Amino acid sequence: MKIFLLFLLFLFFICVAICVWFLYYIRFLLYKDMVYISKYLKNNISFNKKDIKTLLSETSKNISIFTRNLVFDENRNVFYFKKSDIEYVNEFFDSLGKGDVSWERNNIDFYLNTFEDMKQESCDSLHKNGVVYFKLILGLGLALCVMLI
Amino acid sequence: MLDEILPAKIANALDSISYNKICELRLRNDSPIVVDCLGKRYFLGEDSLLESNENALILGKGVLSSIVQKLSNNSLYSINDQLIDGYISYLGGVRVGVCGEVVSVDGVLKTIKNISSLNFRFPHYIKNCSLDLFSYIYANGGFKSTLIASPPGVGKTTYLRDIIYQLSKDDKLYNILVVDERQELTSIYNKESIIKFDNVDVYSNCSKKFAFNNGIRSMKPDIIITDEINIEKDIEDIENALTSGVVVFASIHASSVADLKNKTGFKEILSKKLFERFVFLSNEGGVCHIAGVYNQNLQFIGV
């Protein structure tokens, strides 16, 4: 019975470790998707001048469900993103549709550069912090289980 | 139809008026709202039309910019070319005239900012209103190129729209090319839905030059129909169409034969006999009332 409970405890630590790693992973996905969305908007705004809503809906099938919730779901519950990330992405979307084609392209370029930097930063963070925390939590769980045996 | 565009108070007030009667809606910054109903102007009240501006609805500051944003689906770049030309085309053939501060860089028009007034022109569809004309424009198994003239707001576009409808349902299955520069002719809101004509090829939101040149080459039209020509600018393209064996129906702003004759370049149209019929409309006998039909030498041939 004790072994079984310890196994459950360790399983709990595994879940927490995965969740923490996943938070880093979806942040990376968010910026990866934002780079894709920015490039898609930039290329298509000047070509066929479809409105932003239509262009965004065209990108929806190629982005992660987490980003999709942030972009499309009005009653979004996106607790898994950092507030600062959400604010920056919203700032980008709020800035769209206010000028002519060349202004839009310059504006998207400005945000695209930042999104690419953030993608790189979140990728590094995933490989460093994400993996470290994953191992740390697993180690902690293992140590606790060993102590309790 | 404009519920998503206009502030709720204005949209509700408009709903209380029969759509068929509304011709124009004029919104000006910080001013009472004016509605043109069948040629007569009124102030818009909360639930009725008013003769005086005492209880008229007044448009708040900043509302016009938000309306323009909504008209563009929050994508100003998608309508900026139209904005530079002073109008925005909206769903169902509604044309919105725009006034404001013009922005130009190095002499090139960039956009209009600080929008100060908007004029919504509502299209109408009067089925069979052009039937009387067909005895004048159809002879020996063919149509005659026709120029329809009238002052603004008398029904040129409505008339052309019915000509498109009549031709499109003809058993002869004409190749009809509509050059709908301002997206007014072929997409029309009819109280509940937007009607589109069948059996018609449409170039929309493009210059007449482009549509005439490419249309004749690629669509092989029998008839080209276009709205509001500018003789100076469009005469070359129209001449090219007419000399290629294509029949052209067009409209132009002119209130009388004298007005038309005074237009720059019109002498060339007459001397080359480009149009075989000239039709003048007036609003004296109701919308789309034919005031006179003239032949290629501008001689009166009937009403």
Side-chain angles (χ1 to χ4, degrees), chain B residues 3-21:
Chain B
D3 292 356
E4 292 172 10
I5 301 298
L6 298 172
K9 226 174 184 181
I10 302 173
N12 291 340
L14 280 178
D15 282 345
S16 65
I17 310 163
S18 163
Y19 179 84
N20 286 336
K21 288 183 183 169

Side-chain angles (χ1 to χ4, degrees), chain B residues 13-60:
Chain B
L14 280 178
D15 282 345
S16 65
I17 310 163
S18 163
Y19 179 84
N20 286 336
K21 288 183 183 169
I22 308 175
C23 297
E24 285 182 5
L25 169 72
R26 281 180 184 270
L27 306 176
R28 298 181 178 103
N29 247 343
D30 220 12
S31 298
I33 296 163
V34 176
V35 180
D36 183 320
C37 282
L38 301 174
K40 212 173 162 204
R41 285 165 197 159
Y42 302 91
F43 293 102
L44 183 67
E46 267 190 43
D47 50 11
S48 62
L49 296 171
L50 308 168
E51 299 274 353
S52 84
N53 66 359
E54 215 169 291
N55 294 315
L57 288 175
I58 292 182
L59 197 75

Side-chain angles (χ1 to χ4, degrees), chain B residues 12 26 59 65 80 87 93 135 138 148 172-173 178 202 215 221 230 243 259 267-268 287 290 296:
Chain B
N12 291 340
R26 281 180 184 270
L59 197 75
S65 300
N80 200 50
Y87 73 95
S135 58
Y138 186 80
I148 297 166
K172 286 183 181 165
L173 292 175
V178 178
V202 183
N230 176 324
T243 53
D259 267 3
K267 277 182 188 160
E268 206 179 329
V287 180
I290 300 178
Q296 56 198 347

Side-chain angles (χ1 to χ4, degrees), chain A residues 10-130:
Chain A
F10 187 60
L11 209 61
F12 169 74
F13 273 89
I14 291 175
C15 290
V16 172
I18 290 173
C19 284
V20 170
W21 178 85
F22 206 68
L23 286 179
Y24 284 95
Y25 179 63
I26 57 174
R27 184 165 184 263
F28 164 70
L29 281 184
L30 171 68
Y31 285 110
K32 182 173 158 272
D33 290 337
M34 289 314 297
V35 167
Y36 167 73
I37 289 172
S38 305
K39 285 182 175 170
Y40 190 86
L41 290 178
K42 191 183 156 190
N43 290 339
N44 285 281
I45 267 177
S46 53
F47 175 59
N48 52 23
K49 292 190 181 175
K50 287 180 187 172
D51 60 61
I52 299 285
K53 205 174 166 187
T54 310
L55 289 174
L56 282 177
S57 66
E58 287 172 2
T59 65
S60 68
K61 58 182 183 298
N62 294 326
I63 59 177
S64 71
I65 190 165
F66 307 104
T67 312
R68 215 177 301 154
N69 284 343
L70 176 63
V71 177
F72 297 107
D73 189 359
E74 283 182 16
N75 307 313
R76 55 191 174 238
N77 185 14
V78 283
F79 60 90
Y80 39 79
F81 290 129
K82 272 167 49 181
K83 201 180 165 201
S84 58
D85 292 333
I86 295 171
E87 280 173 359
Y88 193 68
V89 169
N90 283 340
E91 187 189 307
F92 168 64
F93 287 121
D94 288 344
S95 74
L96 295 173
K98 306 274 196 298
D100 65 1
V101 171
S102 65
W103 186 90
E104 290 294 339
R105 285 176 65 94
N106 290 339
N107 179 50
I108 292 170
D109 264 339
F110 170 78
Y111 281 94
L112 179 60
N113 288 337
T114 317
F115 287 140
E116 272 172 343
D117 290 347
M118 299 294 261
K119 181 186 157 191
Q120 190 54 51
E121 190 256 321
S122 59
C123 183
D124 294 343
S125 187
L126 171 68
H127 288 123
K128 285 179 191 162
N129 300 350

Side-chain angles (χ1 to χ4, degrees), chain B:
Chain B
M1 181 176 51
L2 296 174
D3 292 356
E4 292 172 10
I5 301 298
L6 298 172
K9 226 174 184 181
I10 302 173
N12 291 340
L14 280 178
D15 282 345
S16 65
I17 310 163
S18 163
Y19 179 84
N20 286 336
K21 288 183 183 169
I22 308 175
C23 297
E24 285 182 5
L25 169 72
R26 281 180 184 270
L27 306 176
R28 298 181 178 103
N29 247 343
D30 220 12
S31 298
I33 296 163
V34 176
V35 180
D36 183 320
C37 282
L38 301 174
K40 212 173 162 204
R41 285 165 197 159
Y42 302 91
F43 293 102
L44 183 67
E46 267 190 43
D47 50 11
S48 62
L49 296 171
L50 308 168
E51 299 274 353
S52 84
N53 66 359
E54 215 169 291
N55 294 315
L57 288 175
I58 292 182
L59 197 75
K61 280 179 182 163
V63 177
L64 289 179
S65 300
S66 104
I67 292 174
V68 169
Q69 270 294 329
K70 286 176 186 167
L71 282 168
S72 73
N73 253 336
N74 293 314
S75 309
L76 207 60
Y77 62 88
S78 65
I79 56 151
N80 200 50
D81 290 345
Q82 295 180 354
L83 208 55
I84 290 169
D85 285 339
Y87 73 95
I88 301 168
S89 296
Y90 188 63
L91 216 58
V94 175
R95 191 172 84 184
V96 186
V98 183
C99 256
E101 195 182 328
V102 175
V103 180
S104 51
V105 178
D106 299 330
V108 179
L109 275 165
K110 285 287 177 184
T111 190
I112 297 180
K113 66 173 185 178
N114 298 335
I115 288 160
S116 55
S117 49
L118 295 177
N119 176 28
F120 288 76
R121 293 189 69 187
F122 297 93
H124 294 99
Y125 181 38
I126 304 175
K127 206 170 181 177
N128 299 332
C129 68
S130 69
L131 281 182
D132 293 345
L133 185 67
F134 276 74
S135 58
Y136 294 106
I137 62 172
Y138 186 80
N140 306 324
F143 284 98
K144 295 176 184 298
S145 291
T146 303
L147 186 62
I148 297 166
S150 83
V154 172
K156 291 183 296 297
T157 307
T158 308
Y159 214 80
L160 278 176
R161 201 175 282 133
D162 191 54
I163 290 176
I164 298 170
Y165 170 71
Q166 301 298 343
L167 294 174
S168 68
K169 64 173 191 161
D170 197 291
D171 293 339
K172 286 183 181 165
L173 292 175
Y174 294 107
N175 290 333
I176 304 161
L177 177 68
V178 178
V179 179
D180 198 1
E181 198 174 2
R182 295 177 178 191
Q183 293 167 297
E184 287 183 295
L185 280 171
T186 47
S187 169
I188 167 84
Y189 180 70
N190 191 24
K191 289 181 206 164
E192 285 156 359
S193 59
I194 289 165
I195 303 167
K196 287 195 183 270
F197 296 112
D198 297 327
N199 199 25
V200 170
D201 307 313
V202 183
Y203 271 121
S204 65
N205 199 23
C206 67
S207 70
K208 289 189 178 69
K209 190 168 199 65
F210 170 86
F212 270 76
N213 289 344
N214 290 282
I216 291 170
R217 259 186 285 147
S218 56
M219 299 308 292
K220 203 170 76 66
D222 302 314
I223 300 165
I224 295 180
I225 301 174
T226 190
D227 206 3
E228 292 184 16
I229 59 163
N230 176 324
I231 294 179
E232 276 186 280
K233 221 171 91 182
D234 304 323
I235 189 165
E236 203 180 304
D237 305 310
I238 292 169
E239 189 178 350
N240 180 35
L242 293 169
T243 53
S244 306
V246 179
V247 173
V248 175
F249 288 99
S251 69
I252 191 167
H253 286 298
S255 55
S256 63
V257 174
D259 267 3
L260 200 57
K261 278 180 173 170
N262 286 336
K263 283 194 182 282
T264 317
F266 186 72
K267 277 182 188 160
E268 206 179 329
I269 286 184
L270 265 188
S271 64
K272 290 183 177 173
K273 298 190 190 319
L274 293 180
F275 284 101
E276 294 166 280
R277 291 288 181 265
F278 297 94
V279 179
F280 285 86
L281 302 180
S282 79
N283 52 7
E284 280 169 21
V287 180
C288 295
H289 170 75
I290 300 178
V293 182
Y294 296 76
N295 69 8
Q296 56 198 347
N297 300 315
L298 262 184
Q299 289 160 336
F300 183 81
I301 54 171
V303 177

